[in-house]
Amino acid sequence: MAGKSPKIDSVTGVEIREHEWDGIQELDTPTPRWWLWVFLACCIWAVGYWVVMPAWPLPSGYTKGVIGWSQRANVVRDLADLAETRKPLESQLMTADLSDIEKNPAIFEFAVASGRAAFKENCAPCHGSGAQGALGYPNLNDDDWLWGGSLSAIQQTITHGIRNQDKESRFSEMPAFLRDGILTRAQVDDVVEYVTQISGQKADAAVAKRGAEVFGQNCVSCHGSDGRGDRSVGAPNLTDAIWLYGGDRASIRQTVSYARNSSMPSWASRLSPATIRALAVYVHSLGGGEPEIAAVPGPKAP
Ligand code: HEC
Ligand code: HEC
């Protein structure tokens, strides 16, 4: 623009730049002063920050900064602090008598909180995040227990699981009555009608009467002569309206014909004894927990 005097915009008094697009021209407005100062301050701040804090990635690592701040070290320290504060409670949880845990508010709260966290991580995939269960997975909030609802019974179930490779796992096997040729299709239909009847649903009395005989010969050894189940073999009560696999005729027929015999993992080798205790206290606290005496019959807790 040598030689030419700049064009000045008559409205703003600001210089107009050379270029033009379709009749639109641009004012050459200078950057405001305050902006320059802020920019300058940021530059100075940045230099200070590089010196004080970890900042520049280098082939040999990164600049550590003069105050030695490290997010990783903070996390490690926080975790160590947490473990330290938990230690006394954790050791109390381990040494306390099972039946005393719920009487001591501090240990109890600690156990329920860590049990809840461990439950979300390990048990929720099968039992649901609120332990409400699902088809084939028992609800742990109610007082209907397959194997027992006392603290020690629950602890035993969690420690060794059900129908798995653990030598101390809880075990029992309902036969697949139709598949294994123990009952004919007609006998299965009869006993299904009987189970339908004793569970309080509408049933054909004549068929159920025949079914009662089949039940007496094949089912009472586990489900009891009154059909109310037996915890020593994990056999469910068939007279309540609570079903693990469904209480309609088709579901019951499926169970009797082919059996279910589902399994639950053993946790002894995966979770610490303190975590298992916390889980037991948590599950026991959900609403269906029973006192110790009610634990019998059933395998003894370790
Ligand atoms: C892979 C699925 C699975 C996982 C994971 C699992 N469970 Fe289970 N659990 C089951 C099944 C299936 C049963 C019922 C088995 C049966 O028929 O006896 C069961 C039964 C139980 C019972 C016995 C309930 C009763 O009525 O006696 C308790 C207590 C229990 N689970 C707690 C837990 C806890 C606590 C965890 C987490 C550490 C857990 N389960 C993880 C599948 C699972
Ligand atoms: C050896 C013991 C045993 C015998 C015998 C047995 N059951 Fe079972 N039964 C069980 C067990 C254990 C379960 C729970 C199993 C599971 O989780 O797969 C069960 C579950 C059931 C269920 C499912 C209940 C629910 O809540 O969904 C029905 C129905 C049932 N049995 C009916 C019968 C009938 C009818 C007979 C006789 C023809 C019979 N059982 C014989 C042990 C037995």
Side-chain angles (χ1 to χ4, degrees):
M1 287 165 273
K4 260 208 236 163
S5 59
K7 273 202 265 172
I8 301 297
D9 176 46
S10 58
V11 180
T12 57
V14 174
E15 183 184 335
I16 298 174
R17 304 201 43 198
E18 281 284 287
H19 46 243
E20 177 192 323
W21 295 281
D22 291 340
I24 299 170
Q25 283 184 293
E26 192 182 8
L27 299 182
D28 192 8
T29 315
T31 315
R33 258 302 125 94
W34 65 262
W35 192 93
L36 272 178
W37 283 117
V38 170
F39 179 65
L40 212 63
C42 287
C43 292
I44 294 165
W45 169 264
V47 173
Y49 198 87
W50 295 338
V51 174
V52 174
M53 300 295 281
W56 287 100
L58 301 172
S60 57
Y62 59 94
T63 58
K64 302 274 191 300
V66 293
I67 63 166
W69 187 89
S70 153
Q71 180 76 62
R72 191 171 302 224
N74 288 355
V75 170
V76 169
R77 200 180 44 241
D78 287 352
L79 285 177
D81 288 352
L82 191 66
E84 201 53 43
T85 44
R86 276 184 180 173
K87 217 181 241 161
L89 282 167
E90 211 166 84
S91 71
Q92 280 185 67
L93 177 64
M94 281 314 294
T95 50
D97 220 46
L98 262 187
S99 53
D100 288 339
I101 291 177
E102 288 171 355
K103 292 178 201 147
N104 181 325
I107 313 177
F108 179 64
E109 269 164 40
F110 171 74
V112 168
S114 39
R116 183 183 293 118
F119 193 92
K120 291 235 153 65
E121 219 167 285
N122 301 287
C123 324
C126 289
H127 291 284
S129 57
Q132 73 279 14
L135 196 69
Y137 301 104
N139 180 350
L140 305 177
N141 293 293
D142 61 16
D143 55 5
D144 183 54
W145 297 98
L146 294 162
W147 301 94
S150 70
L151 251 181
S152 60
I154 294 171
Q155 180 177 258
Q156 164 81 10
T157 303
I158 300 171
T159 309
H160 300 294
I162 302 160
R163 297 187 193 91
N164 60 42
Q165 305 299 316
D166 188 322
K167 283 198 188 64
E168 290 175 64
S169 133
R170 294 197 184 276
F171 192 81
S172 71
E173 220 157 39
M174 171 162 157
F177 286 94
L178 183 67
R179 195 188 59 210
D180 297 348
I182 305 167
L183 297 179
T184 64
R185 211 166 273 278
Q187 286 174 308
V188 169
D189 284 344
D190 291 350
V191 82
V192 166
E193 201 61 22
Y194 177 67
V195 172
T196 304
Q197 185 183 57
I198 62 173
S199 65
Q201 307 178 73
K202 242 175 98 182
D204 182 321
V207 180
K209 190 153 179 254
R210 291 200 304 267
E213 229 162 276
V214 179
F215 193 88
Q217 283 157 12
N218 297 279
C219 319
V220 295
S221 56
C222 294
H223 291 283
S225 54
D226 54 1
R228 294 169 68 107
D230 179 353
R231 289 177 179 183
S232 66
V233 290
N237 182 349
L238 304 176
T239 66
D240 57 18
I242 300 172
W243 298 97
L244 193 50
Y245 301 105
D248 57 294
R249 286 180 181 76
S251 302
I252 300 174
R253 189 177 296 114
Q254 179 77 17
T255 302
V256 175
S257 301
Y258 302 103
R260 311 274 187 170
N261 296 317
S262 56
S263 75
M264 157 153 149
S266 159
W267 297 93
S269 57
R270 295 177 229 202
L271 299 175
S272 73
T275 306
I276 289 178
R277 277 199 147 201
L279 278 164
V281 173
Y282 169 68
V283 170
H284 192 250
S285 76
L286 288 175
E290 295 174 348
E292 268 327 292
I293 317 119
V296 277
K300 276 209 186 67

